[in-house]
Amino acid sequence: MKKIIFLFFFLVNFIFANAFAVEAEKTVFAPPNDNCAGAITLPVNAAEACLATTTASFTAATVSGEANTCTAISAKDIWYQFTATATSHSILLSNFTGTPQPIVMGVYEGNCGALTQLYCSQNNVINATALTIGNVYKLRLYFDLANPNLSTAFSICVNTPPPPSDNNQSDCLITTINYDFEQPSHPVGATGPTFVNHNFVQGWRTTASDEMMEFWPSPNYENVPSYSGSQFIELNANLVSAVYQDYQTPQPTVFVYGFAHHGRQGVDTCQLKAGPPGGPYVNVGPAVSTGTTAWSYNTGTYTVPAGQTVTRFLFQSVSSAGGSNSVGNFLDAITFTADNGILSDNPAYMNCGELVLDISAAGSGIWTAHAANPTPTVIADPSANDTTISGFGAAGLYYFDWTTAYCTSTLEVTFTGAEPAEIQVADITYCLGQQASPIVVDPDPGNTLNWYSVIFTGDGPVPDTSVLGTYTYYVSQTTPEGCESVASPVIITVTDAQPAVTDFTLPAAVCAGSGNVTPQTAPEFTTGGTFSSENGLVIDPATGEIDPAVSTLGDYTVTYTIESDPDNCIEGGSSTATITIEAAPVLVPSTALEVCDDDTDGLAEFDLT
């Protein structure tokens, strides 16, 4: 009987247990974003402040079938998506709860089933650049563990970092995540250190086996102020270790670093090192020793060697006054920055007449011109970091790309235009009091004229001819783009009128029957005057030619007169000459003469008086 009762209760318990198990399985469902197709849309913050966030939960998540190249382990994952409103966005994880575990973040473009991985991160932050505004990007989150604890939760923020200085795109910038150790924020009211698992920290990791980092608030009970912000860290938490951050460096890159260091109980010493993850590491700069009086700020550069596609910067404690390497060596404001983009002023402005532009960029890349530029140009050496661009034609905006192995930045150039040609103007001479006209100059098509003088600025000056002297105006031409030529001088001379040369001569007398007579004029005789005389003398007023054959006999005075001509700078005058028109002699009939030869010698004399 006991066996039967026992069996009965066993069966009842078995049935109820399985019933509850079945009921439990029915009530636990996979999250809606368990796969790519169900990705939850994340809000995008317009600035760096994370005002809108989304809480992530892995409860009942499963493994997706999408390809994964971030890590060897493809554990249970959840999916999100966001629409790019800028070319650069940061995705940050914060406000962690639950079990600290390594979380992998992956950003993809494309459609589910045909995704292309763009970014992969294991430090709770992705700085995504070169995004296309309006495109939808997928975000995949999973634990880098075969059997993770799915109780871990956190907030997801997509924000928009401000563009860097000089209008350079952020695509080619390498920056430090959480450089000021402001995340995670310190408990309110705490005055001592907080120990945080590095899986809950943005950007930074530690080599300590317990994975703990030590954050200090400011103010604190040791009266050490932060160098910047409101928090800093102690290099070693519980164990002698290093803190580090990794950077993608697919090509040789020059980093500029800076960090603040402070002793805790005396003079502490730390060493910055760099190399590929796993080493070997080399010392970067000398070891830094700092006392407790103030922070020291230390700077320098590090050149990534070729082939080192990921570079790890780590800080190690050399010594501490506390007697243990786990006490001392405060750090703050750690920055590792590199710019493999354009270093020139951007946008660049070329002044009028500036035809060649010097350009500069960092990293290893190629310069190319946009096809839509106003005219073709010439890049002296497209693969050089420092080169020149020439051959600009039409004025306008030109764009040039500097493309490296992993990013492209664009240079905007305003080409104002070449200086127009200098205007060539002949000098002008006026007589005193002469009526002047506006000076007429023809600029090149489309250009405008500019007139200058000490007494005149305007369009088409009218010279003043009331005063003797020489005056200089200047004229230039300006293109529609505002480029002005060199000003050309226009010399205006106002001079006195010159006396007319009126001298001439005539024969003293001519016979009425002789040919026409023309006055003999003096050298440089001023033409344009009028010849005149008394009535009876037939004379051409323009040339002074006299026709004796038809003129009346007599004595005449011929006058040449020229009136004043200010327009031709001639002063009036006159001259005279006399001429007599005489009658021609008349032959009378001859009388026969007879003489006798008285002496008959054959000779006789005639009186021909």
Side-chain angles (χ1 to χ4, degrees):
M1 178 61 80
K2 290 181 179 179
K3 291 182 178 180
I4 293 174
I5 294 172
F6 174 80
L7 180 59
F8 173 80
F9 280 104
F10 174 81
L11 290 173
V12 170
N13 288 333
F14 177 82
I15 291 170
F16 273 96
N18 281 278
F20 284 122
V22 172
E23 185 65 25
E25 290 179 1
K26 288 181 180 179
T27 58
V28 179
F29 299 99
N33 59 335
D34 189 43
N35 52 52
C36 177
I40 294 175
T41 299
L42 297 169
V44 176
N45 293 275
E48 282 189 295
C50 288
L51 302 179
T53 62
T54 301
T55 300
S57 173
F58 283 89
T59 303
T62 62
V63 178
S64 299
E66 301 285 347
N68 174 35
T69 59
C70 278
T71 58
I73 298 175
S74 294
K76 300 175 181 181
D77 52 29
I78 52 178
W79 291 81
Y80 296 88
Q81 65 184 20
F82 66 93
T83 301
T85 60
T87 58
S88 297
H89 288 296
S90 294
I91 303 100
L92 307 98
L93 308 185
S94 61
N95 301 321
F96 290 87
T97 61
T99 303
Q101 300 169 98
I103 297 173
V104 181
M105 308 169 63
V107 170
Y108 305 82
E109 66 177 353
N111 298 318
C112 297
L115 296 174
T116 300
Q117 180 180 302
L118 301 179
Y119 296 94
C120 179
S121 170
Q122 298 182 62
N123 64 9
N124 300 328
V125 176
I126 286 179
N127 291 321
T129 61
L131 303 178
T132 300
I133 296 175
N135 279 10
V136 176
Y137 295 89
K138 305 291 184 183
L139 172 64
R140 182 187 208 172
L141 303 173
Y142 67 92
F143 295 105
D144 189 20
L145 295 171
N147 297 297
N149 185 325
L150 300 184
S151 65
T152 301
F154 46 84
S155 297
I156 308 173
C157 168
V158 180
N159 70 8
T160 307
S165 61
D166 292 331
N167 199 39
N168 287 320
Q169 294 84 348
S170 59
D171 297 2
C172 296
L173 287 177
I174 303 174
T175 59
T176 303
I177 298 168
N178 197 13
Y179 79 99
D180 232 6
F181 301 104
E182 299 301 296
Q183 290 291 334
S185 58
H186 219 71
V188 177
T191 60
T194 298
F195 293 84
V196 182
N197 187 284
H198 68 183
N199 288 309
F200 285 1
V201 176
Q202 293 179 356
W204 296 98
R205 293 295 179 263
T206 177
T207 60
S209 59
D210 64 358
E211 301 181 342
M212 301 304 290
M213 295 181 64
E214 185 175 346
F215 285 74
W216 281 77
S218 178
N220 51 66
Y221 63 72
E222 292 205 357
N223 296 319
V224 177
S226 59
Y227 183 82
S228 64
S230 60
Q231 296 185 168
F232 57 91
I233 67 166
E234 190 168 351
L235 179 53
N236 294 325
N238 300 316
L239 304 171
V240 176
S241 56
V243 294
Y244 65 88
Q245 191 166 147
D246 293 341
Y247 300 83
Q248 299 296 318
T249 52
Q251 65 177 39
T253 299
V254 178
F255 276 91
V256 176
Y257 68 83
F259 65 92
H261 181 251
H262 194 291
R264 180 176 177 182
Q265 297 181 359
V267 176
D268 294 340
T269 303
C270 73
Q271 176 67 59
L272 171 62
K273 293 178 175 289
Y281 302 111
V282 298
N283 291 341
V284 179
V288 174
S289 299
T290 313
T292 60
T293 303
W295 290 88
S296 67
Y297 189 73
N298 311 276
T299 62
T301 61
Y302 170 76
T303 301
V304 176
Q308 188 170 293
T309 58
V310 179
T311 296
R312 175 169 295 178
F313 288 103
L314 59 115
F315 290 88
Q316 287 185 338
S317 173
V318 175
S319 64
S320 62
S324 168
N325 284 342
S326 65
V327 176
N329 284 293
F330 290 137
L331 293 172
D332 198 5
I334 299 176
T335 59
F336 297 97
T337 59
D339 186 355
N340 282 344
I342 293 167
L343 303 179
S344 304
D345 289 341
N346 193 5
Y349 183 84
M350 300 177 68
N351 294 317
C352 291
E354 187 178 356
L355 305 180
V356 179
L357 179 67
D358 293 324
I359 55 176
S360 180
S364 299
I366 296 293
W367 290 100
T368 55
H370 284 204
N373 283 347
T375 63
T377 51
V378 177
I379 301 173
D381 186 350
S383 61
N385 294 97
D386 301 308
T387 187
T388 60
I389 305 175
S390 60
F392 293 92
L397 290 176
Y398 290 73
Y399 295 91
F400 303 89
D401 288 339
W402 171 251
T403 303
T404 69
Y406 68 94
C407 69
T408 297
S409 53
T410 301
L411 173 66
E412 177 184 299
V413 178
T414 298
F415 176 64
T416 309
E419 286 186 357
E422 182 178 354
I423 293 179
Q424 301 299 319
V425 186
D427 296 340
I428 302 173
T429 299
Y430 285 104
C431 286
L432 185 67
Q434 180 179 349
Q435 179 65 45
S437 301
I439 301 174
V440 178
V441 176
D442 294 324
D444 293 337
N447 293 350
T448 56
L449 292 176
N450 312 290
W451 288 95
Y452 307 98
S453 80
V454 294
I455 58 173
F456 171 83
T457 304
D459 295 327
V462 178
D464 180 6
T465 63
S466 64
V467 180
L468 295 173
T470 300
Y471 308 95
T472 303
Y473 296 95
Y474 295 89
V475 63
S476 66
Q477 59 177 329
T478 300
T479 66
E481 295 76 28
C483 292
E484 186 175 359
S485 71
V486 174
S488 302
V490 181
I491 298 176
I492 308 295
T493 301
V494 178
T495 183
D496 277 330
Q498 299 299 313
V501 177
T502 59
D503 295 335
F504 67 97
T505 60
L506 291 170
V510 293
C511 292
S514 63
N516 288 356
V517 177
T518 301
Q520 297 297 311
T521 59
E524 300 182 359
F525 183 79
T526 304
T527 61
T530 302
F531 288 92
S532 63
S533 185
E534 300 90 345
N535 292 333
L537 186 68
V538 178
I539 187 170
D540 186 323
T543 64
E545 186 179 50
I546 298 171
D547 187 352
V550 294
S551 296
T552 302
L553 299 178
D555 297 326
Y556 296 93
T557 299
V558 177
T559 303
Y560 178 72
T561 303
I562 188 165
E563 302 295 332
S564 295
D565 185 2
D567 287 345
N568 291 302
C569 216
I570 297 174
E571 185 179 298
S574 65
S575 295
T576 61
T578 60
I579 189 169
T580 300
I581 306 298
E582 296 181 341
V586 177
L587 295 176
V588 296
S590 61
T591 300
L593 297 177
E594 292 182 3
V595 176
C596 286
D597 182 6
D598 293 337
D599 53 7
T600 65
D601 58 1
L603 299 173
E605 292 183 357
F606 287 87
D607 183 1
L608 300 180
T609 304

PDB file of all heavy atoms in Angstrom, residues 36 65-67 108-117 138:
ATOM      1  N   CYS A  36      17.378  40.196 -36.784  1.00  0.00           N
ATOM      2  CA  CYS A  36      17.584  41.429 -37.565  1.00  0.00           C
ATOM      3  C   CYS A  36      16.267  42.043 -38.029  1.00  0.00           C
ATOM      4  O   CYS A  36      16.089  43.253 -37.985  1.00  0.00           O
ATOM      5  CB  CYS A  36      18.483  41.112 -38.760  1.00  0.00           C
ATOM      6  SG  CYS A  36      18.783  42.500 -39.873  1.00  0.00           S
ATOM      7  N   GLY A  65      21.053  34.132 -37.198  1.00  0.00           N
ATOM      8  CA  GLY A  65      21.741  33.443 -38.282  1.00  0.00           C
ATOM      9  C   GLY A  65      22.607  34.348 -39.121  1.00  0.00           C
ATOM     10  O   GLY A  65      23.271  33.888 -40.052  1.00  0.00           O
ATOM     11  N   GLU A  66      22.621  35.656 -38.806  1.00  0.00           N
ATOM     12  CA  GLU A  66      23.431  36.598 -39.575  1.00  0.00           C
ATOM     13  C   GLU A  66      24.921  36.325 -39.373  1.00  0.00           C
ATOM     14  O   GLU A  66      25.357  35.935 -38.292  1.00  0.00           O
ATOM     15  CB  GLU A  66      23.119  38.035 -39.151  1.00  0.00           C
ATOM     16  CG  GLU A  66      21.675  38.454 -39.325  1.00  0.00           C
ATOM     17  CD  GLU A  66      21.310  38.729 -40.767  1.00  0.00           C
ATOM     18  OE1 GLU A  66      22.235  38.834 -41.598  1.00  0.00           O
ATOM     19  OE2 GLU A  66      20.103  38.838 -41.060  1.00  0.00           O
ATOM     20  N   ALA A  67      25.684  36.547 -40.427  1.00  0.00           N
ATOM     21  CA  ALA A  67      27.135  36.342 -40.341  1.00  0.00           C
ATOM     22  C   ALA A  67      27.742  37.305 -39.336  1.00  0.00           C
ATOM     23  O   ALA A  67      27.265  38.418 -39.148  1.00  0.00           O
ATOM     24  CB  ALA A  67      27.763  36.525 -41.709  1.00  0.00           C
ATOM     25  N   TYR A 108      26.077  47.613 -38.973  1.00  0.00           N
ATOM     26  CA  TYR A 108      25.997  47.051 -40.311  1.00  0.00           C
ATOM     27  C   TYR A 108      25.180  47.976 -41.209  1.00  0.00           C
ATOM     28  O   TYR A 108      24.332  48.740 -40.747  1.00  0.00           O
ATOM     29  CB  TYR A 108      25.302  45.684 -40.290  1.00  0.00           C
ATOM     30  CG  TYR A 108      25.929  44.682 -39.347  1.00  0.00           C
ATOM     31  CD1 TYR A 108      25.628  44.700 -37.990  1.00  0.00           C
ATOM     32  CD2 TYR A 108      26.819  43.714 -39.816  1.00  0.00           C
ATOM     33  CE1 TYR A 108      26.194  43.776 -37.123  1.00  0.00           C
ATOM     34  CE2 TYR A 108      27.387  42.784 -38.951  1.00  0.00           C
ATOM     35  CZ  TYR A 108      27.082  42.828 -37.605  1.00  0.00           C
ATOM     36  OH  TYR A 108      27.646  41.917 -36.748  1.00  0.00           O
ATOM     37  N   GLU A 109      25.445  47.871 -42.506  1.00  0.00           N
ATOM     38  CA  GLU A 109      24.600  48.515 -43.499  1.00  0.00           C
ATOM     39  C   GLU A 109      24.025  47.453 -44.415  1.00  0.00           C
ATOM     40  O   GLU A 109      24.557  46.338 -44.520  1.00  0.00           O
ATOM     41  CB  GLU A 109      25.389  49.545 -44.309  1.00  0.00           C
ATOM     42  CG  GLU A 109      26.485  48.976 -45.190  1.00  0.00           C
ATOM     43  CD  GLU A 109      27.191  50.050 -46.016  1.00  0.00           C
ATOM     44  OE1 GLU A 109      26.733  51.209 -45.987  1.00  0.00           O
ATOM     45  OE2 GLU A 109      28.197  49.720 -46.681  1.00  0.00           O
ATOM     46  N   GLY A 110      22.941  47.788 -45.079  1.00  0.00           N
ATOM     47  CA  GLY A 110      22.294  46.830 -45.961  1.00  0.00           C
ATOM     48  C   GLY A 110      21.038  46.259 -45.353  1.00  0.00           C
ATOM     49  O   GLY A 110      20.571  46.688 -44.287  1.00  0.00           O
ATOM     50  N   ASN A 111      20.490  45.266 -46.024  1.00  0.00           N
ATOM     51  CA  ASN A 111      19.258  44.630 -45.580  1.00  0.00           C
ATOM     52  C   ASN A 111      19.553  43.323 -44.862  1.00  0.00           C
ATOM     53  O   ASN A 111      20.599  42.689 -45.080  1.00  0.00           O
ATOM     54  CB  ASN A 111      18.352  44.358 -46.785  1.00  0.00           C
ATOM     55  CG  ASN A 111      17.940  45.641 -47.483  1.00  0.00           C
ATOM     56  OD1 ASN A 111      17.624  46.635 -46.825  1.00  0.00           O
ATOM     57  ND2 ASN A 111      17.958  45.636 -48.816  1.00  0.00           N
ATOM     58  N   CYS A 112      18.639  42.914 -43.990  1.00  0.00           N
ATOM     59  CA  CYS A 112      18.796  41.657 -43.258  1.00  0.00           C
ATOM     60  C   CYS A 112      19.011  40.513 -44.244  1.00  0.00           C
ATOM     61  O   CYS A 112      18.332  40.427 -45.280  1.00  0.00           O
ATOM     62  CB  CYS A 112      17.548  41.391 -42.406  1.00  0.00           C
ATOM     63  SG  CYS A 112      17.268  42.637 -41.123  1.00  0.00           S
ATOM     64  N   GLY A 113      19.943  39.646 -43.939  1.00  0.00           N
ATOM     65  CA  GLY A 113      20.300  38.566 -44.830  1.00  0.00           C
ATOM     66  C   GLY A 113      21.400  38.930 -45.797  1.00  0.00           C
ATOM     67  O   GLY A 113      21.993  38.046 -46.428  1.00  0.00           O
ATOM     68  N   ALA A 114      21.676  40.231 -45.947  1.00  0.00           N
ATOM     69  CA  ALA A 114      22.738  40.694 -46.848  1.00  0.00           C
ATOM     70  C   ALA A 114      23.418  41.898 -46.219  1.00  0.00           C
ATOM     71  O   ALA A 114      23.574  42.955 -46.838  1.00  0.00           O
ATOM     72  CB  ALA A 114      22.171  41.040 -48.219  1.00  0.00           C
ATOM     73  N   LEU A 115      23.827  41.769 -44.965  1.00  0.00           N
ATOM     74  CA  LEU A 115      24.428  42.869 -44.229  1.00  0.00           C
ATOM     75  C   LEU A 115      25.932  42.951 -44.472  1.00  0.00           C
ATOM     76  O   LEU A 115      26.602  41.934 -44.656  1.00  0.00           O
ATOM     77  CB  LEU A 115      24.162  42.712 -42.730  1.00  0.00           C
ATOM     78  CG  LEU A 115      22.701  42.786 -42.280  1.00  0.00           C
ATOM     79  CD1 LEU A 115      22.586  42.474 -40.794  1.00  0.00           C
ATOM     80  CD2 LEU A 115      22.128  44.174 -42.579  1.00  0.00           C
ATOM     81  N   THR A 116      26.431  44.162 -44.428  1.00  0.00           N
ATOM     82  CA  THR A 116      27.880  44.403 -44.502  1.00  0.00           C
ATOM     83  C   THR A 116      28.318  45.047 -43.198  1.00  0.00           C
ATOM     84  O   THR A 116      27.802  46.101 -42.818  1.00  0.00           O
ATOM     85  CB  THR A 116      28.224  45.333 -45.677  1.00  0.00           C
ATOM     86  OG1 THR A 116      27.800  44.729 -46.900  1.00  0.00           O
ATOM     87  CG2 THR A 116      29.719  45.600 -45.729  1.00  0.00           C
ATOM     88  N   GLN A 117      29.265  44.417 -42.515  1.00  0.00           N
ATOM     89  CA  GLN A 117      29.732  44.945 -41.238  1.00  0.00           C
ATOM     90  C   GLN A 117      30.628  46.159 -41.464  1.00  0.00           C
ATOM     91  O   GLN A 117      31.566  46.126 -42.254  1.00  0.00           O
ATOM     92  CB  GLN A 117      30.503  43.872 -40.478  1.00  0.00           C
ATOM     93  CG  GLN A 117      31.026  44.335 -39.126  1.00  0.00           C
ATOM     94  CD  GLN A 117      31.789  43.239 -38.417  1.00  0.00           C
ATOM     95  OE1 GLN A 117      31.255  42.167 -38.158  1.00  0.00           O
ATOM     96  NE2 GLN A 117      33.044  43.514 -38.119  1.00  0.00           N
ATOM     97  N   LYS A 138      22.023  49.004 -38.952  1.00  0.00           N
ATOM     98  CA  LYS A 138      21.682  48.006 -37.942  1.00  0.00           C
ATOM     99  C   LYS A 138      22.752  47.967 -36.857  1.00  0.00           C
ATOM    100  O   LYS A 138      23.947  48.114 -37.130  1.00  0.00           O
ATOM    101  CB  LYS A 138      21.558  46.614 -38.569  1.00  0.00           C
ATOM    102  CG  LYS A 138      20.572  46.521 -39.742  1.00  0.00           C
ATOM    103  CD  LYS A 138      19.138  46.688 -39.297  1.00  0.00           C
ATOM    104  CE  LYS A 138      18.180  46.486 -40.483  1.00  0.00           C
ATOM    105  NZ  LYS A 138      16.778  46.703 -40.109  1.00  0.00           N
TER     106      LYS A 138
END
